[in-house]
Amino acid sequence: MSNMIKTSGHPMVKAEGVHKSFGLVPVLKGIDLEVQPQEVFCLVGPSGSGKSTFLRCINHLEKINAGRLSVDGELVGYRERGDRLYELKDREVAAKRRDIGMVFQRFNLFPHMTALGNVMEAPIQVKGESKSVARERALKLLDRVGLADKAHSYPTQLSGGQQQRVAIARALAMQPKLMLFDEPTSALDPELVGEVLDVMRGLAEDGMTMIVVTHEMGFAREVGDALVFMDDGVVVEAGHPREVLTNPQHERTKAFLSKVL
């Protein structure tokens, strides 16, 4: 990728003792992990284990209650002065969030815009890019996700897999340094899963740093550089995907994998 953003030699994501509760319910109970630049980092675990919440904390869609979370060496949502943390203003948070692309389970495309319009929108509105520059990049990105011929189709005219590929192109249009995928294939019919995973595989080959919450163990095994198994708000086991999937060390990991593999 010619426009890969240079990073600063830090881990791309670093979580230290990250806690998050909703009301009195603790959802993350002290998450420690590091994601290196250009790594494909897979998060697996049962529903309700905190994976999606952790992902949303990385781009400050959810605020953490304790611990530290940084992206490319900068704290997420906070500024440090001395030994105190001060929350950033919404505008500053939004500016940092531009560097982080997010693809959700549901595609969240604008229904009144074509595929091309959906991909062009954020660079024009958020970055103030000219329509011609945004359009040129959007067409390249649609081609990259295999949808050059669907540029002028509306979301309702596209399959779920095509809509999700447009959503990936839309996230890439902001030229992020980090891509977050929250179960990107779980809302899709089984025969459409492969086309989305193929696009993600291509991004991995291009060196995009990706954190992927997924139930697709085959993808994790083939494409992942690191895999974390989460359960009940903690990291139970971490390692190379092939190692964890073929030789899990913890009973909880074994029990989970026996159901999904």
Side-chain angles (χ1 to χ4, degrees):
M1 262 169 85
S2 56
N3 59 4
M4 276 293 291
I5 293 176
K6 291 280 180 284
T7 58
S8 53
H10 300 279
M12 183 59 81
V13 177
K14 184 169 185 174
E16 302 169 272
V18 169
H19 287 74
K20 171 69 186 173
S21 298
F22 292 110
L24 297 172
V25 181
V27 180
L28 301 176
K29 305 172 184 174
I31 300 293
D32 295 293
L33 55 79
E34 284 190 10
V35 180
Q36 301 307 324
Q38 303 196 330
E39 198 165 53
V40 178
F41 193 96
C42 297
L43 280 174
V44 305
S47 295
S49 56
K51 311 179 300 292
S52 295
T53 298
F54 179 66
L55 218 55
R56 292 170 67 83
C57 290
I58 293 173
N59 64 359
H60 210 58
L61 289 174
E62 301 287 356
K63 296 176 184 178
I64 65 175
N65 301 122
R68 300 163 72 85
L69 188 53
S70 57
V71 171
D72 201 19
E74 294 191 4
L75 286 172
V76 173
Y78 297 90
R79 177 185 293 112
E80 194 165 20
R81 286 207 202 108
D83 54 1
R84 295 199 55 184
L85 295 181
Y86 296 87
E87 197 159 343
L88 297 177
K89 295 187 175 70
D90 289 348
R91 198 177 66 242
E92 296 172 288
V93 171
K96 295 221 159 118
R97 199 178 279 144
R98 293 178 196 180
D99 287 339
I100 303 172
M102 184 141 187
V103 178
F104 298 89
Q105 200 168 349
R106 300 272 165 207
F107 327 120
N108 301 340
L109 296 176
F110 297 117
H112 61 288
M113 291 185 182
T114 62
L116 182 63
N118 267 283
V119 180
M120 287 172 62
E121 178 73 358
I124 292 170
Q125 297 299 334
V126 179
K127 282 188 166 176
E129 275 186 7
S130 71
K131 278 197 170 147
S132 60
V133 168
R135 181 188 170 87
E136 187 181 345
R137 184 181 310 113
L139 287 168
K140 280 185 184 152
L141 286 168
L142 287 171
D143 184 41
R144 182 174 176 186
V145 300
L147 292 173
D149 59 332
K150 300 290 185 189
H152 301 294
S153 301
Y154 287 88
T156 51
Q157 300 169 309
L158 301 173
S159 72
Q162 290 169 331
Q163 289 186 63
Q164 191 60 297
R165 287 187 280 153
V166 173
I168 293 172
R170 179 179 62 180
L172 291 171
M174 292 293 284
Q175 298 175 288
K177 58 170 98 165
L178 170 66
M179 284 283 281
L180 308 177
F181 292 88
D182 191 6
E183 297 189 22
T185 59
S186 61
L188 299 178
D189 293 332
E191 70 272 19
L192 303 177
V193 168
E195 64 192 48
V196 173
L197 294 180
D198 283 345
V199 169
M200 293 167 64
R201 208 172 264 121
L203 288 179
E205 285 164 8
D206 287 345
M208 175 61 77
T209 312
M210 295 156 58
I211 304 180
V212 185
V213 172
T214 187
H215 295 293
E216 301 292 335
M217 298 301 158
F219 175 84
R221 185 188 284 114
E222 291 161 47
V223 185
D225 299 299
L227 182 142
V228 156
F229 169 65
M230 278 178 70
D231 191 15
D232 196 27
V234 298
V235 171
V236 176
E237 190 160 346
H240 192 277
R242 288 197 188 95
E243 194 63 33
V244 176
L245 294 174
T246 44
N247 189 21
Q249 300 299 304
H250 291 260
E251 291 307 319
R252 279 152 88 185
T253 320
K254 287 175 189 167
F256 173 75
L257 292 176
S258 72
K259 295 188 187 99
V260 298
L261 287 178

